[in-house]
Amino acid sequence: MLTLLFDGVAYGMLLFVLAIGLSITLGLMNFINLAHGAFAMAGGYTLVLLMQKAGWPFLPSVFMAFAVSALLGLVLEVTLYRRMYHKTHLEQVLFSIGLTFMAVASVDYLVGSTQQLVQLPEFLKGRTELWDGALGMGHYRLAIIVVCALLAWGLQWLLVHTRFGAQLRASVDDRRVAAAMGINVNTIFMATFAVGSGLAGLGGALGAEVLGLDPVFPLKFMIYFLIVVAVGGTSSLTGPLLAALLLGIADVAGKYYVPKLGAFIVYTLMVLILMWRPQGLFTRGNA
Amino acid sequence: MSTTSISLGAGSRARWWEFAVWILLLLLPVLLPKHSLLVSEITIIALFAMSLDLVLGYSGIVSLGHAAFFGTGAYAAALFAKHINPDPLTGLLVATLVSAALGLVCSPGILRGSDLTRLMVTLGIALILQELANKMDHITGGADGLQGVLMGPVLGRFEFDLMGQTAAYYALAVTLLVFLLLRRWVHSPFGFSLKAIRDNRLRAQAIGIPLHARLMAVYTLAAAIAGLAGGMQAQTTGFASLDVFGFDRSADVLLMLVIGGTGWLWGGLMGAVLFKTLHSLVSALTPQYWTFWIGLFLVLLMLVGREKLLRPWTWGRRS
Amino acid sequence: MKTFLNLRALMLTLGMTALAAQAQESFKIGLILPMTGQQATTGKQIEAAARLFMAQNGDKVAGRKVELIIKDDGGIPDAAKRIAQELVVNDKVGVLGGFGLTPLALATAPIATQSKTPMVVMAAATSIITEASPFIVRTSFTLAQCSVAMGDWAPKNGIKRVVTLVSDYGPGIDAERFFKERMLLNSGQVIESLRVPLRNPDFAPFLQKVRDLKPDALFVFVPSGAGAAVMKQFLERGMDKAGIKLIGTGDLTDDDQLNDMGEGALGVVTSHHYSAVHPSAVNKKFVDAFKKANNGMRPNFMAVGGYDGMRVIYEALKNTKGGQGGGEALLAAMKGQIFESPRGQIFIDAQTRDIVQNIYLRRVEKKDGELYNVEFDVIKEVKDPGKTK
């Protein structure tokens, strides 16, 4: 039972890191970016390719995964996404789906469609058993929880205690007034999008071991990111965090206790929550 | 007649080319007998896209899960034919009614919330149905699909043949009928009120249009027609499998509608023809990586905008 | 008299020209494979094997040119059926082949029957497939064959209590059923049977459940390509250290992925019909040629199914002198074929049209620095036990 909770929390934290970029993008730029999963995939493949082909060790590769995805996000934001901000949600959805298709096919072409396997460094393999097996903690999952928790805390600090964070929050709340106050909204968008994509890449790299990595990764997991964002709302950091944890635990517990229903539980839960509170579970009143 | 009713009624007169196109379509199984299969497939998808147009083009609701109703219709028709009665037309009626019922039940979900919420709810419903169909495999055949659906002859006379001729005529005839019905509906006060809701909800409410009732009604109607299309699909292919609920299907039909243009019923048909032709051509060239080119096409289409893309003479100009 | 002779000569010439004309027309083989989607690796392996066979054996059989048409069905049964219909009606193929998953084969079966076109199943593995149409011939394998072999081996090697974990579709259910039956027959026990969804499987919660049940071994079947994920989770949960052995059908240690699984896979015992390191001259030649033509990619059991499938088609063409007598004659020429495949000796049962082959028990070991399934035992000429007729 405790092991399940532990697994669920690890899964949830991972989902949080993966989805937080999407949440900020949606909240800030009002842009539904379904290609977010592609950035995660980019990070995952960066990790795998650096480790397998260039022989890099694990930790630097993870860092590079963040950097590469962030750079990719930066470039795409300036060249393509910027032109789509004023368009309708439908057009944004289709645009990002198109990007995703391109990413999936490109990766399939360049790397092949087999599942990519990550060789973890020794200090991350292994497992600690507590209380006679009642709580089994894989070291890797433990590391994920720690890293993601630190990230969450770091992001919160960034938002609340730095100037950039204040400017970001202002732009989310009211873009026009923020621009009128002299905040360079374009730069904020660019930086935020880059960081959000970088985080996705980081999540993809960390998640390669736990979630698997193949070219259809963006399509497979997009629904989960979207659930986190829709249920968690876009106006805070804690909303998506709690939603991700809820999702992770519900998914793992559901598949354990009622394997016949499996993923069904997650979807039903989501639909019911959204029908009851369309603005998300953790958002104030009218978002 | 007042100016209002003249201008409102202007769109409802059938233009000459509409007749011409429909006559051509109905003659396709004769003109291109080798491609009858493709003809029936495109027609069915066009009908599906038309139903989505009701929801998207005429009411402004972005749905990523319309395949939920397509799939329900498909399984309903297949199961009906297998266990109760192999007559196609009765099966089609059953499929339509079942999907309509489902649409009615799900319609409260799309009333509130932002675009993202609606997207998620519609997507979620489709996924739930897919999972359900997967789990209830003693009824639906699960991941293996529903086998052994043998259809009886249409109207007691026309058997479904290997060449697909009967299927093509069947699909075309049904689609034409529905198209005519929809045309009447869309150019009626009901249809106009939908457009009003799409353009400005607040104002529509202000002048007394019953928002929720209208939206629920149109969603149910769209679900019914999607179910009709799904039922035809199951009947003409003799098969139903889990991917009738798939995200791919919902996304494809959304794409077709956008290519063809929302808000005028022809969008579904045009988009279906264009997309399927594009798909056939591209995947004949590269069977493995055609999704890349479709993706590229999508990105360009969205960046440039449909109006500009289809008018090459405007490419040089800045809008 | 002379006119009569002349008439006969004329008719003979006409007849021969007609024959010659028919021989000039190429014989088309339509392969329907999942080239995109979750089963894309299957499509790739079979395509590579088919092309290798044609490269090695030329594209002319019995005076007729052979053409290969490859179409992607994306793993969707609807698409497979429609593509089959188009291939038969528009392209006029003489034989259909491929079929990466059971639903794809089952959907296409009615087309084969209606059009009297032989259908060579090169990958799908549920027993009932060959019963779906009298025109179906299989060169892959059935889960029943492999599971039964494991159900015999396990109890004799100290494994009494097993939990089964299979993907929830035709082959998986077959594997579960036949393994369980054989275990029970040998006084073993299957304490729990878990089924994982075919799409987007997440093995972690299921494996956790297995851990809590503490069996002697976990028997796994997942389709080709998903084995790595299971292996990873198995090791991560420390199940090997908890004393639970991992056994299964060879799809788990698919040659395609095995080498990337890492040392944790060592010692896993599986039962299957093909290993890339099968010690025969025919196999060595096949593997070397395959690797050379495909950038060092190792062939797996899917490739061998495709390779042998092409052989069956070519032999049938030869025996019917270029396909005379249509689909029925070709089918008759396919039944009863017997030859040495890279996997060992095989033959196509004339009654059931299914493949009869050796099933090997293999253990994962390191050879020349790479991981391979090394065969240590064999059960010869296993007929598919899953046939109801």
Side-chain angles (χ1 to χ4, degrees):
Chain A
M1 225 302 264
L2 285 175
T3 316
L4 266 187
L5 201 64
F6 174 81
D7 280 342
V9 168
Y11 186 34
M13 297 296 279
L14 196 57
L15 278 179
F16 170 71
V17 170
L18 281 164
I20 189 64
L22 184 61
S23 169
I24 298 179
T25 315
L26 185 60
L28 177 63
M29 302 183 271
N30 200 17
F31 190 99
I32 301 184
N33 179 20
L34 294 185
H36 193 71
F39 292 104
M41 180 174 73
Y45 273 97
T46 308
L47 176 82
V48 166
L49 288 172
L50 278 177
M51 284 183 73
Q52 282 181 0
K53 307 278 183 209
W56 279 38
F58 186 73
L59 286 175
S61 308
V62 171
F63 186 71
M64 273 306 276
F66 175 87
V68 165
S69 295
L71 189 64
L72 192 64
L74 192 82
V75 167
L76 284 176
E77 199 272 343
V78 172
T79 53
L80 294 177
Y81 278 84
R82 203 164 272 197
R83 292 168 213 250
M84 300 291 301
Y85 289 151
H86 57 279
K87 306 228 177 185
T88 63
H89 277 162
L90 175 64
E91 289 167 317
Q92 292 170 354
V93 163
L94 287 172
F95 168 77
S96 47
I97 289 181
L99 273 182
T100 312
F101 280 176
M102 286 172 72
V104 168
S106 311
V107 168
D108 190 10
Y109 178 70
L110 292 169
V111 185
S113 46
T114 48
Q115 272 275 338
Q116 294 297 334
L117 300 161
V118 176
Q119 300 296 0
L120 291 176
E122 279 310 315
F123 71 92
L124 281 176
K125 289 193 208 174
R127 199 175 170 82
T128 308
E129 302 276 333
L130 291 178
W131 304 312
D132 193 31
L135 173 62
M137 303 190 290
H139 288 171
Y140 189 63
R141 277 174 209 252
L142 196 59
I144 287 181
I145 294 182
V146 169
V147 168
C148 297
L150 281 173
L151 269 173
W153 184 84
L155 281 172
Q156 183 71 0
W157 184 86
L158 190 78
L159 270 185
V160 174
H161 293 286
T162 64
R163 190 131 181 262
F164 176 77
Q167 290 179 334
L168 179 59
R169 278 181 291 132
S171 309
V172 173
D173 280 343
D174 195 323
R175 194 200 303 181
R176 257 196 268 173
V177 173
M181 304 265 292
I183 295 175
N184 190 337
V185 177
N186 274 350
T187 319
I188 304 259
F189 278 18
M190 194 176 72
T192 314
F193 194 81
V195 170
S197 311
L199 283 173
L202 183 67
L206 288 176
E209 170 69 18
V210 176
L211 303 172
L213 183 68
D214 59 6
V216 291
F217 180 88
L219 297 168
K220 261 201 284 186
F221 286 96
M222 183 191 66
I223 174 79
Y224 287 102
F225 308 153
L226 288 175
I227 292 179
V228 169
V229 172
V231 171
T234 58
S235 57
S236 68
L237 212 55
T238 44
L241 179 63
L242 287 170
L245 286 172
L246 183 65
L247 178 60
I249 297 174
D251 194 48
V252 170
K255 286 183 182 156
Y256 182 90
Y257 286 115
V258 206
K260 292 235 168 274
L261 292 179
F264 187 73
I265 292 184
V266 168
Y267 302 142
T268 322
L269 205 65
M270 171 195 73
V271 170
L272 288 173
I273 290 179
L274 285 177
M275 280 171 92
W276 168 47
R277 287 185 60 121
Q279 68 275 26
L281 204 52
F282 305 105
T283 325
R284 301 168 291 252
N286 358 289
Chain B
M1 280 213 285
S2 69
T3 38
T4 336
S5 49
I6 294 178
S7 64
L8 283 177
S12 68
R13 258 176 294 121
R15 281 152 288 193
W16 66 270
W17 57 265
E18 298 194 49
F19 289 112
V21 172
W22 271 110
I23 293 177
L24 183 66
L25 285 174
L26 286 168
L27 285 176
L28 273 179
V30 174
L31 296 172
L32 300 171
K34 278 174 116 194
H35 297 281
S36 299
L37 281 170
L38 199 58
V39 167
S40 68
E41 196 195 337
I42 294 184
T43 314
I44 290 173
I45 294 188
L47 186 62
F48 184 31
M50 263 189 250
S51 77
L52 186 62
D53 201 5
L54 282 176
V55 163
L56 181 66
Y58 287 96
S59 320
I61 299 169
V62 182
S63 165
L64 260 185
H66 210 54
F69 307 112
F70 185 81
T72 309
Y75 272 101
L79 287 167
F80 185 79
K82 189 169 181 193
H83 296 288
I84 305 182
N85 186 340
D87 178 46
L89 291 175
T90 335
L92 217 50
L93 190 65
V94 169
T96 316
L97 288 173
V98 171
S99 311
L102 184 67
L104 189 63
V105 165
C106 295
S107 53
I110 51 122
L111 294 175
R112 311 193 291 160
S114 64
D115 271 346
L116 179 66
T117 320
R118 271 196 290 269
L119 212 74
M120 298 307 297
V121 171
T122 50
L123 188 56
I125 292 174
L127 285 169
I128 289 175
L129 282 170
Q130 190 174 43
E131 277 304 310
L132 260 175
N134 192 14
K135 292 299 168 192
M136 309 203 301
D137 53 3
H138 45 279
I139 304 179
T140 63
D144 291 327
L146 192 64
Q147 311 289 339
V149 177
L150 291 164
M151 299 305 307
V154 180
L155 294 175
R157 281 219 318 164
F158 308 101
E159 284 279 359
F160 282 107
D161 59 315
L162 193 63
M163 283 278 284
Q165 291 250 334
T166 318
Y169 280 121
Y170 180 54
L172 283 167
V174 173
T175 308
L176 177 60
L177 272 166
V178 176
F179 178 78
L180 291 172
L181 266 170
L182 282 180
R183 224 166 168 289
R184 289 236 54 173
W185 240 317
V186 155
H187 291 292
S188 70
F190 177 73
F192 294 136
S193 68
L194 287 176
K195 283 199 210 173
I197 293 174
R198 176 194 68 192
D199 291 336
N200 196 321
R201 263 197 200 197
L202 211 51
R203 254 185 233 171
Q205 271 182 300
I207 62 168
I209 294 178
L211 189 71
H212 287 192
R214 285 293 142 93
L215 284 176
M216 283 176 71
V218 77
Y219 200 67
T220 310
L221 181 64
I225 298 178
L228 185 71
M232 274 205 292
Q233 162 97 325
Q235 290 177 340
T236 52
T237 57
F239 188 76
S241 65
L242 289 181
D243 45 88
V244 288
F245 288 114
F247 172 72
D248 281 340
R249 220 169 270 269
S250 299
D252 277 350
V253 76
L254 190 61
L255 173 55
M256 281 178 228
L257 190 59
V258 171
I259 293 178
T262 59
W264 62 310
L265 286 176
W266 284 97
L269 195 61
M270 301 275 163
V273 171
L274 267 163
F275 179 74
K276 273 292 160 187
T277 326
L278 202 67
H279 177 188
S280 293
L281 285 172
V282 176
S283 77
L285 288 172
T286 115
Q288 216 179 348
Y289 304 113
W290 58 270
T291 44
F292 179 82
W293 301 105
I294 300 285
L296 185 63
F297 175 73
L298 249 180
V299 171
L300 288 173
L301 184 67
M302 289 303 120
L303 277 176
V304 171
R306 195 182 140 265
E307 303 306 324
K308 254 189 139 184
L309 195 74
L310 295 177
R311 297 185 186 145
W313 55 91
T314 56
W315 284 357
R317 281 184 243 153
R318 284 201 163 274
S319 49
Chain C
M1 180 72 165
K2 234 180 171 178
T3 14
F4 185 59
L5 273 173
N6 278 346
L7 203 60
R8 303 256 309 261
L10 182 65
M11 284 183 66
L12 198 63
T13 336
L14 277 175
M16 287 190 70
T17 356
L19 254 163
Q22 194 204 31
Q24 309 299 19
E25 206 186 270
S26 59
F27 181 83
K28 299 195 185 113
I29 303 176
L31 288 189
I32 306 177
L33 297 169
M35 304 293 289
T36 54
Q38 252 185 303
Q39 298 303 117
T41 48
T42 302
K44 282 197 193 138
Q45 285 270 352
I46 297 181
E47 186 192 359
R51 292 203 192 280
L52 177 67
F53 188 87
M54 283 188 78
Q56 287 179 334
N57 293 279
D59 62 351
K60 251 190 155 65
V61 182
R64 249 180 119 173
K65 186 162 168 356
V66 176
E67 217 182 288
L68 193 65
I69 306 177
I70 298 188
K71 296 263 179 191
D72 171 30
D73 61 17
I76 297 178
D78 266 344
K81 185 167 187 173
R82 185 180 43 84
I83 293 172
Q85 232 171 330
E86 282 171 6
L87 282 171
V88 163
V89 170
N90 294 348
D91 298 288
K92 304 221 188 325
V93 296
V95 141
L96 288 165
F99 309 106
L101 281 179
T102 302
L104 306 170
L106 289 175
T108 317
I111 308 285
T113 317
Q114 251 186 311
S115 63
K116 299 204 197 325
T117 312
M119 204 172 117
V120 179
V121 172
M122 300 173 178
T126 314
S127 299
I128 54 162
I129 292 178
T130 44
E131 293 165 23
S133 162
F135 281 85
I136 293 182
V137 167
R138 185 188 345 234
T139 58
S140 51
F141 70 113
T142 68
L143 262 312
Q145 283 171 331
C146 297
S147 313
V148 151
M150 184 54 83
D152 272 338
W153 182 86
K156 297 194 186 98
N157 286 273
I159 296 172
K160 292 283 176 196
R161 296 170 70 248
V162 181
V163 173
T164 62
L165 181 73
V166 302
S167 290
D168 196 356
Y169 72 127
I173 298 171
D174 263 5
E176 182 191 283
R177 188 172 128 219
F178 286 98
F179 177 75
K180 194 168 176 174
E181 273 177 17
R182 206 41 89 89
M183 277 295 281
L184 288 171
L185 205 69
N186 289 313
S187 327
Q189 255 191 310
V190 172
I191 51 182
E192 179 95 32
S193 299
L194 298 170
R195 292 188 188 173
V196 184
L198 180 61
R199 299 153 195 264
N200 304 341
D202 181 14
F203 297 106
F206 293 97
L207 286 176
Q208 186 56 40
K209 194 156 198 174
V210 175
R211 178 94 200 268
D212 294 338
L213 288 167
K214 297 197 189 22
D216 293 330
L218 171 65
F219 172 81
V220 174
F221 165 74
V222 285
S224 159
V230 180
M231 186 72 76
K232 218 190 318 188
Q233 285 297 322
F234 184 84
L235 296 169
E236 199 200 311
R237 271 157 212 289
M239 287 168 76
D240 47 344
K241 298 200 180 64
I244 303 175
K245 292 202 184 66
L246 183 59
I247 59 175
T249 64
D251 314 72
L252 179 63
T253 52
D254 188 348
D255 273 312
D256 208 28
Q257 288 185 323
L258 182 58
N259 202 27
D260 292 325
M261 286 191 195
E263 313 256 315
L266 284 171
V268 171
V269 175
T270 56
S271 61
H272 222 210
H273 58 295
Y274 179 69
S275 163
V277 80
H278 173 71
S280 79
V282 174
N283 188 37
K284 190 151 185 353
K285 194 165 141 222
F286 171 65
V287 173
D288 286 342
F290 192 91
K291 277 191 175 171
K292 203 157 150 196
N294 291 287
N295 254 339
M297 179 165 91
R298 209 196 280 185
N300 71 356
F301 60 96
M302 293 296 181
V304 120
Y307 194 73
D308 289 336
M310 291 296 284
R311 172 116 182 229
V312 164
I313 297 174
Y314 265 51
E315 289 296 324
L317 263 178
K318 271 189 223 154
N319 290 342
T320 56
K321 302 206 183 6
Q324 289 177 36
E328 279 147 334
L330 268 173
L331 183 70
M334 286 184 188
K335 294 192 217 179
Q337 278 194 28
I338 176 169
F339 56 86
E340 192 185 346
S341 137
R343 62 184 110 169
Q345 187 86 313
I346 65 167
F347 73 89
I348 309 288
D349 188 311
Q351 235 69 24
T352 61
R353 295 164 275 106
D354 212 334
I355 187 165
V356 179
Q357 57 192 332
N358 301 341
I359 301 291
Y360 304 92
L361 281 154
R362 321 92 58 85
R363 191 173 282 116
V364 177
E365 287 170 23
K366 208 166 196 165
K367 258 188 153 194
D368 307 322
E370 286 193 6
L371 292 175
Y372 283 99
N373 295 300
V374 176
E375 298 162 359
F376 62 88
D377 204 356
V378 63
I379 304 172
K380 287 200 187 258
E381 291 182 18
V382 181
K383 276 195 178 191
D384 176 34
K387 294 285 177 281
T388 45
K389 297 188 192 150

